[in-house]
Amino acid sequence: MSLDPRRRISLDDFRHEALSETSSTNSECLARARAGDRGLLWVTAEKQTGGRGRRGRPWVSERGNLYASLLLIDPAPMERLGSLPLAIAVAVHQAVRQVLPHTAEPLEVKWPNDILIGRKKTCGILVEGEALPDGRHALVIGIGINVAFMPENPLYPVTCLREQGSSASPEDVFAHLFASMAEVLEAWDRGRGVREITDRWRRVACGIGEKITVNLPDRSISGHFDGIDDNGLLKLDTGAGRMMTIAAGDVFFG
């Protein structure tokens, strides 16, 4: 069973299974998909023994932080999936904002979906997909949020919600995430609501107008961050009137 393209999803469509420990909530969701799960399933774990980040990087997953994955089945036509990372970022930003005190440093999104507090990373998001034998396509959104502690990251400065004055537990954060993701995916509307999502993303974006470097698989490119286009691609002003659009890459400021 896939998402019905004729109607919008609602909060009541989502399910949640909480685990004490698993190797990876993403792997658990993919296993459920292969077994025929209909999707809209959240899997959370207090601890992961084999958590992973982008490009196969390990994701330290001790108890005290939030580890959550959402399984979607056929969430949108392939040509509309490019805007999904922006929708995810908007939902996570919305959830984290609910548990941060006013004294916290600024909460922003770094393209496409890194959540920063005071320009320090506090969340990792990993989206993985797999074609299933029955013709369906599984997409898993893995989200790790630094709640009580912050594993060292050699690539970026890091922080956690506790350091920012929040007393929220992982369960508190997930309750907000459960609600915000349902609301944002309804607005995203299988990719048909991309304009609303890009507008909401721009309002919480970090570093528009600043000098950035984008690391691509084969090279690095520097320029000024000119925001995103209406499909969510990064616009990089490389000088002399030359504007590049970039679909994927690691962004560094300065």
PDB file of all heavy atoms in Angstrom, residues 16-20 22 24-26 42-49 51 59-69 141-149 151 170 174 177:
ATOM      1  N   HIS A  16       4.024   4.746  15.224  1.00  0.00           N
ATOM      2  CA  HIS A  16       5.318   4.878  15.894  1.00  0.00           C
ATOM      3  C   HIS A  16       5.633   3.603  16.653  1.00  0.00           C
ATOM      4  O   HIS A  16       4.778   3.090  17.383  1.00  0.00           O
ATOM      5  CB  HIS A  16       5.302   6.067  16.868  1.00  0.00           C
ATOM      6  CG  HIS A  16       6.532   6.167  17.712  1.00  0.00           C
ATOM      7  ND1 HIS A  16       6.511   6.558  19.031  1.00  0.00           N
ATOM      8  CD2 HIS A  16       7.845   5.906  17.424  1.00  0.00           C
ATOM      9  CE1 HIS A  16       7.738   6.546  19.525  1.00  0.00           C
ATOM     10  NE2 HIS A  16       8.569   6.163  18.566  1.00  0.00           N
ATOM     11  N   GLU A  17       6.857   3.108  16.458  1.00  0.00           N
ATOM     12  CA  GLU A  17       7.347   1.986  17.242  1.00  0.00           C
ATOM     13  C   GLU A  17       8.655   2.400  17.918  1.00  0.00           C
ATOM     14  O   GLU A  17       9.602   2.807  17.242  1.00  0.00           O
ATOM     15  CB  GLU A  17       7.573   0.753  16.379  1.00  0.00           C
ATOM     16  CG  GLU A  17       8.020  -0.446  17.189  1.00  0.00           C
ATOM     17  CD  GLU A  17       7.966  -1.747  16.408  1.00  0.00           C
ATOM     18  OE1 GLU A  17       7.214  -1.826  15.418  1.00  0.00           O
ATOM     19  OE2 GLU A  17       8.690  -2.685  16.793  1.00  0.00           O
ATOM     20  N   ALA A  18       8.685   2.306  19.243  1.00  0.00           N
ATOM     21  CA  ALA A  18       9.858   2.710  20.024  1.00  0.00           C
ATOM     22  C   ALA A  18      10.656   1.476  20.426  1.00  0.00           C
ATOM     23  O   ALA A  18      10.101   0.533  21.006  1.00  0.00           O
ATOM     24  CB  ALA A  18       9.422   3.490  21.257  1.00  0.00           C
ATOM     25  N   LEU A  19      11.952   1.481  20.129  1.00  0.00           N
ATOM     26  CA  LEU A  19      12.845   0.384  20.472  1.00  0.00           C
ATOM     27  C   LEU A  19      13.848   0.858  21.519  1.00  0.00           C
ATOM     28  O   LEU A  19      14.204   2.034  21.556  1.00  0.00           O
ATOM     29  CB  LEU A  19      13.603  -0.099  19.233  1.00  0.00           C
ATOM     30  CG  LEU A  19      12.758  -0.499  18.017  1.00  0.00           C
ATOM     31  CD1 LEU A  19      13.675  -0.853  16.848  1.00  0.00           C
ATOM     32  CD2 LEU A  19      11.829  -1.648  18.342  1.00  0.00           C
ATOM     33  N   SER A  20      14.314  -0.071  22.327  1.00  0.00           N
ATOM     34  CA  SER A  20      15.369   0.268  23.279  1.00  0.00           C
ATOM     35  C   SER A  20      16.700   0.393  22.555  1.00  0.00           C
ATOM     36  O   SER A  20      17.446   1.350  22.779  1.00  0.00           O
ATOM     37  CB  SER A  20      15.461  -0.797  24.380  1.00  0.00           C
ATOM     38  OG  SER A  20      16.574  -0.542  25.218  1.00  0.00           O
ATOM     39  N   THR A  22      18.827  -0.747  18.641  1.00  0.00           N
ATOM     40  CA  THR A  22      18.847  -1.373  17.322  1.00  0.00           C
ATOM     41  C   THR A  22      20.158  -0.994  16.652  1.00  0.00           C
ATOM     42  O   THR A  22      20.848  -0.078  17.096  1.00  0.00           O
ATOM     43  CB  THR A  22      17.649  -0.919  16.459  1.00  0.00           C
ATOM     44  OG1 THR A  22      17.625  -1.662  15.246  1.00  0.00           O
ATOM     45  CG2 THR A  22      17.735   0.563  16.115  1.00  0.00           C
ATOM     46  N   SER A  24      20.423   0.257  13.591  1.00  0.00           N
ATOM     47  CA  SER A  24      20.163   1.516  12.895  1.00  0.00           C
ATOM     48  C   SER A  24      18.656   1.624  12.666  1.00  0.00           C
ATOM     49  O   SER A  24      18.041   0.685  12.165  1.00  0.00           O
ATOM     50  CB  SER A  24      20.911   1.547  11.561  1.00  0.00           C
ATOM     51  OG  SER A  24      20.329   2.462  10.659  1.00  0.00           O
ATOM     52  N   THR A  25      18.078   2.756  13.018  1.00  0.00           N
ATOM     53  CA  THR A  25      16.645   2.931  12.771  1.00  0.00           C
ATOM     54  C   THR A  25      16.359   2.977  11.270  1.00  0.00           C
ATOM     55  O   THR A  25      15.302   2.538  10.820  1.00  0.00           O
ATOM     56  CB  THR A  25      16.111   4.199  13.456  1.00  0.00           C
ATOM     57  OG1 THR A  25      16.904   5.335  13.066  1.00  0.00           O
ATOM     58  CG2 THR A  25      16.155   4.055  14.973  1.00  0.00           C
ATOM     59  N   ASN A  26      17.293   3.497  10.473  1.00  0.00           N
ATOM     60  CA  ASN A  26      17.108   3.461   9.019  1.00  0.00           C
ATOM     61  C   ASN A  26      17.049   2.022   8.515  1.00  0.00           C
ATOM     62  O   ASN A  26      16.176   1.655   7.716  1.00  0.00           O
ATOM     63  CB  ASN A  26      18.243   4.203   8.320  1.00  0.00           C
ATOM     64  CG  ASN A  26      17.923   5.670   8.051  1.00  0.00           C
ATOM     65  OD1 ASN A  26      17.155   6.288   8.785  1.00  0.00           O
ATOM     66  ND2 ASN A  26      18.511   6.222   7.012  1.00  0.00           N
ATOM     67  N   TRP A  42       7.127   5.538  11.952  1.00  0.00           N
ATOM     68  CA  TRP A  42       8.291   6.043  12.665  1.00  0.00           C
ATOM     69  C   TRP A  42       8.894   4.920  13.503  1.00  0.00           C
ATOM     70  O   TRP A  42       8.165   4.189  14.186  1.00  0.00           O
ATOM     71  CB  TRP A  42       7.893   7.163  13.624  1.00  0.00           C
ATOM     72  CG  TRP A  42       7.702   8.520  13.038  1.00  0.00           C
ATOM     73  CD1 TRP A  42       6.509   9.136  12.756  1.00  0.00           C
ATOM     74  CD2 TRP A  42       8.726   9.464  12.698  1.00  0.00           C
ATOM     75  NE1 TRP A  42       6.730  10.393  12.262  1.00  0.00           N
ATOM     76  CE2 TRP A  42       8.076  10.623  12.217  1.00  0.00           C
ATOM     77  CE3 TRP A  42      10.119   9.440  12.751  1.00  0.00           C
ATOM     78  CZ2 TRP A  42       8.786  11.758  11.794  1.00  0.00           C
ATOM     79  CZ3 TRP A  42      10.820  10.557  12.327  1.00  0.00           C
ATOM     80  CH2 TRP A  42      10.161  11.700  11.852  1.00  0.00           C
ATOM     81  N   VAL A  43      10.205   4.790  13.457  1.00  0.00           N
ATOM     82  CA  VAL A  43      10.927   3.897  14.362  1.00  0.00           C
ATOM     83  C   VAL A  43      11.936   4.748  15.120  1.00  0.00           C
ATOM     84  O   VAL A  43      12.739   5.460  14.506  1.00  0.00           O
ATOM     85  CB  VAL A  43      11.651   2.763  13.606  1.00  0.00           C
ATOM     86  CG1 VAL A  43      12.515   1.955  14.564  1.00  0.00           C
ATOM     87  CG2 VAL A  43      10.646   1.853  12.913  1.00  0.00           C
ATOM     88  N   THR A  44      11.871   4.692  16.446  1.00  0.00           N
ATOM     89  CA  THR A  44      12.854   5.391  17.276  1.00  0.00           C
ATOM     90  C   THR A  44      13.609   4.374  18.122  1.00  0.00           C
ATOM     91  O   THR A  44      13.124   3.275  18.373  1.00  0.00           O
ATOM     92  CB  THR A  44      12.186   6.433  18.196  1.00  0.00           C
ATOM     93  OG1 THR A  44      11.243   5.767  19.052  1.00  0.00           O
ATOM     94  CG2 THR A  44      11.484   7.505  17.398  1.00  0.00           C
ATOM     95  N   ALA A  45      14.793   4.747  18.546  1.00  0.00           N
ATOM     96  CA  ALA A  45      15.597   3.879  19.412  1.00  0.00           C
ATOM     97  C   ALA A  45      16.332   4.743  20.424  1.00  0.00           C
ATOM     98  O   ALA A  45      16.756   5.862  20.112  1.00  0.00           O
ATOM     99  CB  ALA A  45      16.593   3.067  18.597  1.00  0.00           C
ATOM    100  N   GLU A  46      16.479   4.209  21.634  1.00  0.00           N
ATOM    101  CA  GLU A  46      17.246   4.919  22.648  1.00  0.00           C
ATOM    102  C   GLU A  46      18.738   4.882  22.326  1.00  0.00           C
ATOM    103  O   GLU A  46      19.488   5.793  22.683  1.00  0.00           O
ATOM    104  CB  GLU A  46      16.994   4.298  24.018  1.00  0.00           C
ATOM    105  CG  GLU A  46      15.558   4.438  24.504  1.00  0.00           C
ATOM    106  CD  GLU A  46      15.346   3.732  25.824  1.00  0.00           C
ATOM    107  OE1 GLU A  46      16.336   3.549  26.566  1.00  0.00           O
ATOM    108  OE2 GLU A  46      14.202   3.354  26.115  1.00  0.00           O
ATOM    109  N   LYS A  47      19.156   3.823  21.616  1.00  0.00           N
ATOM    110  CA  LYS A  47      20.569   3.661  21.275  1.00  0.00           C
ATOM    111  C   LYS A  47      20.684   2.926  19.957  1.00  0.00           C
ATOM    112  O   LYS A  47      19.887   2.022  19.666  1.00  0.00           O
ATOM    113  CB  LYS A  47      21.296   2.877  22.378  1.00  0.00           C
ATOM    114  CG  LYS A  47      22.780   2.618  22.093  1.00  0.00           C
ATOM    115  CD  LYS A  47      23.440   1.837  23.218  1.00  0.00           C
ATOM    116  CE  LYS A  47      24.913   1.591  22.926  1.00  0.00           C
ATOM    117  NZ  LYS A  47      25.574   0.848  24.018  1.00  0.00           N
ATOM    118  N   GLN A  48      21.671   3.327  19.141  1.00  0.00           N
ATOM    119  CA  GLN A  48      21.999   2.602  17.913  1.00  0.00           C
ATOM    120  C   GLN A  48      23.417   2.049  18.034  1.00  0.00           C
ATOM    121  O   GLN A  48      24.315   2.736  18.513  1.00  0.00           O
ATOM    122  CB  GLN A  48      21.940   3.534  16.693  1.00  0.00           C
ATOM    123  CG  GLN A  48      20.571   4.093  16.375  1.00  0.00           C
ATOM    124  CD  GLN A  48      20.612   4.949  15.126  1.00  0.00           C
ATOM    125  OE1 GLN A  48      19.904   4.705  14.162  1.00  0.00           O
ATOM    126  NE2 GLN A  48      21.449   5.989  15.143  1.00  0.00           N
ATOM    127  N   THR A  49      23.598   0.834  17.564  1.00  0.00           N
ATOM    128  CA  THR A  49      24.940   0.247  17.602  1.00  0.00           C
ATOM    129  C   THR A  49      25.668   0.396  16.269  1.00  0.00           C
ATOM    130  O   THR A  49      26.871   0.166  16.191  1.00  0.00           O
ATOM    131  CB  THR A  49      24.871  -1.241  17.975  1.00  0.00           C
ATOM    132  OG1 THR A  49      24.013  -1.919  17.033  1.00  0.00           O
ATOM    133  CG2 THR A  49      24.312  -1.415  19.377  1.00  0.00           C
ATOM    134  N   GLY A  51      24.803   3.246  13.896  1.00  0.00           N
ATOM    135  CA  GLY A  51      24.283   4.452  13.267  1.00  0.00           C
ATOM    136  C   GLY A  51      25.243   4.980  12.211  1.00  0.00           C
ATOM    137  O   GLY A  51      26.450   4.850  12.323  1.00  0.00           O
ATOM    138  N   TRP A  59      27.753   7.481  12.898  1.00  0.00           N
ATOM    139  CA  TRP A  59      26.989   8.430  13.695  1.00  0.00           C
ATOM    140  C   TRP A  59      26.926   7.886  15.114  1.00  0.00           C
ATOM    141  O   TRP A  59      26.271   6.888  15.377  1.00  0.00           O
ATOM    142  CB  TRP A  59      25.582   8.604  13.120  1.00  0.00           C
ATOM    143  CG  TRP A  59      24.790   9.695  13.806  1.00  0.00           C
ATOM    144  CD1 TRP A  59      23.908   9.541  14.828  1.00  0.00           C
ATOM    145  CD2 TRP A  59      24.834  11.094  13.520  1.00  0.00           C
ATOM    146  NE1 TRP A  59      23.392  10.759  15.206  1.00  0.00           N
ATOM    147  CE2 TRP A  59      23.946  11.737  14.415  1.00  0.00           C
ATOM    148  CE3 TRP A  59      25.549  11.870  12.592  1.00  0.00           C
ATOM    149  CZ2 TRP A  59      23.745  13.114  14.415  1.00  0.00           C
ATOM    150  CZ3 TRP A  59      25.347  13.240  12.594  1.00  0.00           C
ATOM    151  CH2 TRP A  59      24.452  13.849  13.485  1.00  0.00           C
ATOM    152  N   VAL A  60      27.661   8.518  16.031  1.00  0.00           N
ATOM    153  CA  VAL A  60      27.710   8.061  17.419  1.00  0.00           C
ATOM    154  C   VAL A  60      26.319   8.142  18.019  1.00  0.00           C
ATOM    155  O   VAL A  60      25.658   9.180  17.932  1.00  0.00           O
ATOM    156  CB  VAL A  60      28.705   8.902  18.238  1.00  0.00           C
ATOM    157  CG1 VAL A  60      28.709   8.444  19.695  1.00  0.00           C
ATOM    158  CG2 VAL A  60      30.105   8.789  17.630  1.00  0.00           C
ATOM    159  N   SER A  61      25.866   7.053  18.641  1.00  0.00           N
ATOM    160  CA  SER A  61      24.447   6.941  19.000  1.00  0.00           C
ATOM    161  C   SER A  61      24.238   6.394  20.402  1.00  0.00           C
ATOM    162  O   SER A  61      23.570   5.379  20.603  1.00  0.00           O
ATOM    163  CB  SER A  61      23.724   6.050  17.984  1.00  0.00           C
ATOM    164  OG  SER A  61      23.951   6.475  16.660  1.00  0.00           O
ATOM    165  N   GLU A  62      24.827   7.052  21.392  1.00  0.00           N
ATOM    166  CA  GLU A  62      24.620   6.632  22.779  1.00  0.00           C
ATOM    167  C   GLU A  62      23.283   7.161  23.298  1.00  0.00           C
ATOM    168  O   GLU A  62      22.668   8.050  22.710  1.00  0.00           O
ATOM    169  CB  GLU A  62      25.770   7.145  23.653  1.00  0.00           C
ATOM    170  CG  GLU A  62      27.120   6.552  23.303  1.00  0.00           C
ATOM    171  CD  GLU A  62      27.160   5.036  23.457  1.00  0.00           C
ATOM    172  OE1 GLU A  62      26.489   4.504  24.371  1.00  0.00           O
ATOM    173  OE2 GLU A  62      27.846   4.379  22.661  1.00  0.00           O
ATOM    174  N   ARG A  63      22.845   6.607  24.414  1.00  0.00           N
ATOM    175  CA  ARG A  63      21.570   7.021  25.000  1.00  0.00           C
ATOM    176  C   ARG A  63      21.616   8.495  25.423  1.00  0.00           C
ATOM    177  O   ARG A  63      22.640   8.990  25.870  1.00  0.00           O
ATOM    178  CB  ARG A  63      21.231   6.143  26.201  1.00  0.00           C
ATOM    179  CG  ARG A  63      21.057   4.677  25.833  1.00  0.00           C
ATOM    180  CD  ARG A  63      20.681   3.820  27.036  1.00  0.00           C
ATOM    181  NE  ARG A  63      20.808   2.403  26.701  1.00  0.00           N
ATOM    182  CZ  ARG A  63      19.844   1.685  26.120  1.00  0.00           C
ATOM    183  NH1 ARG A  63      18.688   2.277  25.834  1.00  0.00           N
ATOM    184  NH2 ARG A  63      20.024   0.408  25.826  1.00  0.00           N
ATOM    185  N   GLY A  64      20.504   9.167  25.274  1.00  0.00           N
ATOM    186  CA  GLY A  64      20.389  10.567  25.672  1.00  0.00           C
ATOM    187  C   GLY A  64      20.047  11.499  24.526  1.00  0.00           C
ATOM    188  O   GLY A  64      19.556  12.607  24.751  1.00  0.00           O
ATOM    189  N   ASN A  65      20.301  11.059  23.291  1.00  0.00           N
ATOM    190  CA  ASN A  65      19.927  11.835  22.115  1.00  0.00           C
ATOM    191  C   ASN A  65      18.750  11.164  21.411  1.00  0.00           C
ATOM    192  O   ASN A  65      18.340  10.055  21.769  1.00  0.00           O
ATOM    193  CB  ASN A  65      21.114  11.980  21.161  1.00  0.00           C
ATOM    194  CG  ASN A  65      22.167  12.930  21.711  1.00  0.00           C
ATOM    195  OD1 ASN A  65      21.929  13.667  22.652  1.00  0.00           O
ATOM    196  ND2 ASN A  65      23.348  12.907  21.108  1.00  0.00           N
ATOM    197  N   LEU A  66      18.222  11.827  20.384  1.00  0.00           N
ATOM    198  CA  LEU A  66      17.083  11.283  19.643  1.00  0.00           C
ATOM    199  C   LEU A  66      17.558  10.626  18.356  1.00  0.00           C
ATOM    200  O   LEU A  66      18.287  11.246  17.568  1.00  0.00           O
ATOM    201  CB  LEU A  66      16.089  12.392  19.304  1.00  0.00           C
ATOM    202  CG  LEU A  66      14.900  11.964  18.414  1.00  0.00           C
ATOM    203  CD1 LEU A  66      14.043  10.920  19.118  1.00  0.00           C
ATOM    204  CD2 LEU A  66      14.059  13.172  18.015  1.00  0.00           C
ATOM    205  N   TYR A  67      17.137   9.382  18.146  1.00  0.00           N
ATOM    206  CA  TYR A  67      17.420   8.645  16.913  1.00  0.00           C
ATOM    207  C   TYR A  67      16.079   8.176  16.362  1.00  0.00           C
ATOM    208  O   TYR A  67      15.404   7.346  16.974  1.00  0.00           O
ATOM    209  CB  TYR A  67      18.349   7.462  17.185  1.00  0.00           C
ATOM    210  CG  TYR A  67      19.520   7.852  18.053  1.00  0.00           C
ATOM    211  CD1 TYR A  67      19.625   7.404  19.367  1.00  0.00           C
ATOM    212  CD2 TYR A  67      20.503   8.717  17.573  1.00  0.00           C
ATOM    213  CE1 TYR A  67      20.677   7.794  20.176  1.00  0.00           C
ATOM    214  CE2 TYR A  67      21.561   9.109  18.379  1.00  0.00           C
ATOM    215  CZ  TYR A  67      21.651   8.644  19.675  1.00  0.00           C
ATOM    216  OH  TYR A  67      22.673   9.041  20.480  1.00  0.00           O
ATOM    217  N   ALA A  68      15.689   8.725  15.220  1.00  0.00           N
ATOM    218  CA  ALA A  68      14.360   8.459  14.677  1.00  0.00           C
ATOM    219  C   ALA A  68      14.433   8.325  13.158  1.00  0.00           C
ATOM    220  O   ALA A  68      15.177   9.048  12.501  1.00  0.00           O
ATOM    221  CB  ALA A  68      13.397   9.587  15.046  1.00  0.00           C
ATOM    222  N   SER A  69      13.652   7.405  12.620  1.00  0.00           N
ATOM    223  CA  SER A  69      13.562   7.236  11.166  1.00  0.00           C
ATOM    224  C   SER A  69      12.102   7.108  10.773  1.00  0.00           C
ATOM    225  O   SER A  69      11.313   6.458  11.470  1.00  0.00           O
ATOM    226  CB  SER A  69      14.333   5.999  10.705  1.00  0.00           C
ATOM    227  OG  SER A  69      15.718   6.145  10.912  1.00  0.00           O
ATOM    228  N   ILE A 141      13.716   8.444   6.057  1.00  0.00           N
ATOM    229  CA  ILE A 141      14.264   9.704   6.547  1.00  0.00           C
ATOM    230  C   ILE A 141      14.823   9.441   7.939  1.00  0.00           C
ATOM    231  O   ILE A 141      14.065   9.228   8.893  1.00  0.00           O
ATOM    232  CB  ILE A 141      13.176  10.787   6.624  1.00  0.00           C
ATOM    233  CG1 ILE A 141      12.533  11.019   5.246  1.00  0.00           C
ATOM    234  CG2 ILE A 141      13.757  12.086   7.179  1.00  0.00           C
ATOM    235  CD1 ILE A 141      11.231  11.804   5.316  1.00  0.00           C
ATOM    236  N   GLY A 142      16.139   9.421   8.077  1.00  0.00           N
ATOM    237  CA  GLY A 142      16.778   9.205   9.367  1.00  0.00           C
ATOM    238  C   GLY A 142      17.186  10.534   9.981  1.00  0.00           C
ATOM    239  O   GLY A 142      17.814  11.367   9.316  1.00  0.00           O
ATOM    240  N   ILE A 143      16.831  10.721  11.245  1.00  0.00           N
ATOM    241  CA  ILE A 143      17.085  11.997  11.916  1.00  0.00           C
ATOM    242  C   ILE A 143      17.733  11.730  13.270  1.00  0.00           C
ATOM    243  O   ILE A 143      17.172  11.012  14.101  1.00  0.00           O
ATOM    244  CB  ILE A 143      15.773  12.785  12.125  1.00  0.00           C
ATOM    245  CG1 ILE A 143      15.118  13.078  10.767  1.00  0.00           C
ATOM    246  CG2 ILE A 143      16.027  14.084  12.894  1.00  0.00           C
ATOM    247  CD1 ILE A 143      13.692  13.574  10.869  1.00  0.00           C
ATOM    248  N   GLY A 144      18.916  12.287  13.486  1.00  0.00           N
ATOM    249  CA  GLY A 144      19.579  12.211  14.781  1.00  0.00           C
ATOM    250  C   GLY A 144      19.750  13.605  15.345  1.00  0.00           C
ATOM    251  O   GLY A 144      20.340  14.477  14.689  1.00  0.00           O
ATOM    252  N   ILE A 145      19.208  13.854  16.520  1.00  0.00           N
ATOM    253  CA  ILE A 145      19.257  15.185  17.131  1.00  0.00           C
ATOM    254  C   ILE A 145      20.050  15.117  18.427  1.00  0.00           C
ATOM    255  O   ILE A 145      19.781  14.279  19.298  1.00  0.00           O
ATOM    256  CB  ILE A 145      17.839  15.730  17.400  1.00  0.00           C
ATOM    257  CG1 ILE A 145      17.068  15.865  16.081  1.00  0.00           C
ATOM    258  CG2 ILE A 145      17.911  17.089  18.107  1.00  0.00           C
ATOM    259  CD1 ILE A 145      15.637  16.353  16.234  1.00  0.00           C
ATOM    260  N   ASN A 146      21.041  16.001  18.553  1.00  0.00           N
ATOM    261  CA  ASN A 146      21.833  16.089  19.781  1.00  0.00           C
ATOM    262  C   ASN A 146      20.982  16.732  20.877  1.00  0.00           C
ATOM    263  O   ASN A 146      20.771  17.941  20.866  1.00  0.00           O
ATOM    264  CB  ASN A 146      23.091  16.923  19.561  1.00  0.00           C
ATOM    265  CG  ASN A 146      24.063  16.298  18.588  1.00  0.00           C
ATOM    266  OD1 ASN A 146      23.980  15.116  18.280  1.00  0.00           O
ATOM    267  ND2 ASN A 146      24.996  17.095  18.098  1.00  0.00           N
ATOM    268  N   VAL A 147      20.501  15.920  21.779  1.00  0.00           N
ATOM    269  CA  VAL A 147      19.650  16.421  22.860  1.00  0.00           C
ATOM    270  C   VAL A 147      20.474  16.666  24.122  1.00  0.00           C
ATOM    271  O   VAL A 147      20.570  17.783  24.613  1.00  0.00           O
ATOM    272  CB  VAL A 147      18.489  15.442  23.147  1.00  0.00           C
ATOM    273  CG1 VAL A 147      17.639  15.942  24.309  1.00  0.00           C
ATOM    274  CG2 VAL A 147      17.624  15.255  21.899  1.00  0.00           C
ATOM    275  N   ALA A 148      21.087  15.601  24.644  1.00  0.00           N
ATOM    276  CA  ALA A 148      21.794  15.713  25.922  1.00  0.00           C
ATOM    277  C   ALA A 148      23.306  15.811  25.765  1.00  0.00           C
ATOM    278  O   ALA A 148      23.985  16.292  26.670  1.00  0.00           O
ATOM    279  CB  ALA A 148      21.446  14.519  26.810  1.00  0.00           C
ATOM    280  N   PHE A 149      23.831  15.332  24.653  1.00  0.00           N
ATOM    281  CA  PHE A 149      25.284  15.414  24.467  1.00  0.00           C
ATOM    282  C   PHE A 149      25.597  15.600  22.999  1.00  0.00           C
ATOM    283  O   PHE A 149      24.725  15.464  22.138  1.00  0.00           O
ATOM    284  CB  PHE A 149      25.988  14.175  25.031  1.00  0.00           C
ATOM    285  CG  PHE A 149      25.768  12.920  24.249  1.00  0.00           C
ATOM    286  CD1 PHE A 149      26.676  12.510  23.286  1.00  0.00           C
ATOM    287  CD2 PHE A 149      24.641  12.123  24.474  1.00  0.00           C
ATOM    288  CE1 PHE A 149      26.479  11.345  22.555  1.00  0.00           C
ATOM    289  CE2 PHE A 149      24.437  10.953  23.743  1.00  0.00           C
ATOM    290  CZ  PHE A 149      25.357  10.567  22.794  1.00  0.00           C
ATOM    291  N   PRO A 151      28.377  14.447  20.161  1.00  0.00           N
ATOM    292  CA  PRO A 151      29.567  13.724  19.705  1.00  0.00           C
ATOM    293  C   PRO A 151      30.474  14.659  18.916  1.00  0.00           C
ATOM    294  O   PRO A 151      30.012  15.565  18.224  1.00  0.00           O
ATOM    295  CB  PRO A 151      28.987  12.624  18.801  1.00  0.00           C
ATOM    296  CG  PRO A 151      27.555  12.507  19.198  1.00  0.00           C
ATOM    297  CD  PRO A 151      27.140  13.867  19.638  1.00  0.00           C
ATOM    298  N   PRO A 170      14.596  13.319  24.883  1.00  0.00           N
ATOM    299  CA  PRO A 170      14.419  12.832  23.511  1.00  0.00           C
ATOM    300  C   PRO A 170      12.948  12.567  23.188  1.00  0.00           C
ATOM    301  O   PRO A 170      12.506  12.827  22.059  1.00  0.00           O
ATOM    302  CB  PRO A 170      15.244  11.536  23.492  1.00  0.00           C
ATOM    303  CG  PRO A 170      16.307  11.757  24.522  1.00  0.00           C
ATOM    304  CD  PRO A 170      15.638  12.549  25.610  1.00  0.00           C
ATOM    305  N   PHE A 174      10.816  14.227  20.172  1.00  0.00           N
ATOM    306  CA  PHE A 174      10.159  13.402  19.165  1.00  0.00           C
ATOM    307  C   PHE A 174       8.669  13.728  19.062  1.00  0.00           C
ATOM    308  O   PHE A 174       8.107  13.708  17.955  1.00  0.00           O
ATOM    309  CB  PHE A 174      10.335  11.909  19.460  1.00  0.00           C
ATOM    310  CG  PHE A 174       9.601  11.048  18.469  1.00  0.00           C
ATOM    311  CD1 PHE A 174      10.035  10.964  17.152  1.00  0.00           C
ATOM    312  CD2 PHE A 174       8.445  10.368  18.837  1.00  0.00           C
ATOM    313  CE1 PHE A 174       9.340  10.208  16.218  1.00  0.00           C
ATOM    314  CE2 PHE A 174       7.747   9.609  17.909  1.00  0.00           C
ATOM    315  CZ  PHE A 174       8.198   9.526  16.600  1.00  0.00           C
ATOM    316  N   LEU A 177       8.476  16.521  16.824  1.00  0.00           N
ATOM    317  CA  LEU A 177       8.868  16.115  15.474  1.00  0.00           C
ATOM    318  C   LEU A 177       7.749  15.319  14.798  1.00  0.00           C
ATOM    319  O   LEU A 177       7.475  15.505  13.598  1.00  0.00           O
ATOM    320  CB  LEU A 177      10.146  15.284  15.531  1.00  0.00           C
ATOM    321  CG  LEU A 177      10.701  14.780  14.202  1.00  0.00           C
ATOM    322  CD1 LEU A 177      11.057  15.929  13.275  1.00  0.00           C
ATOM    323  CD2 LEU A 177      11.929  13.894  14.441  1.00  0.00           C
TER     324      LEU A 177
END
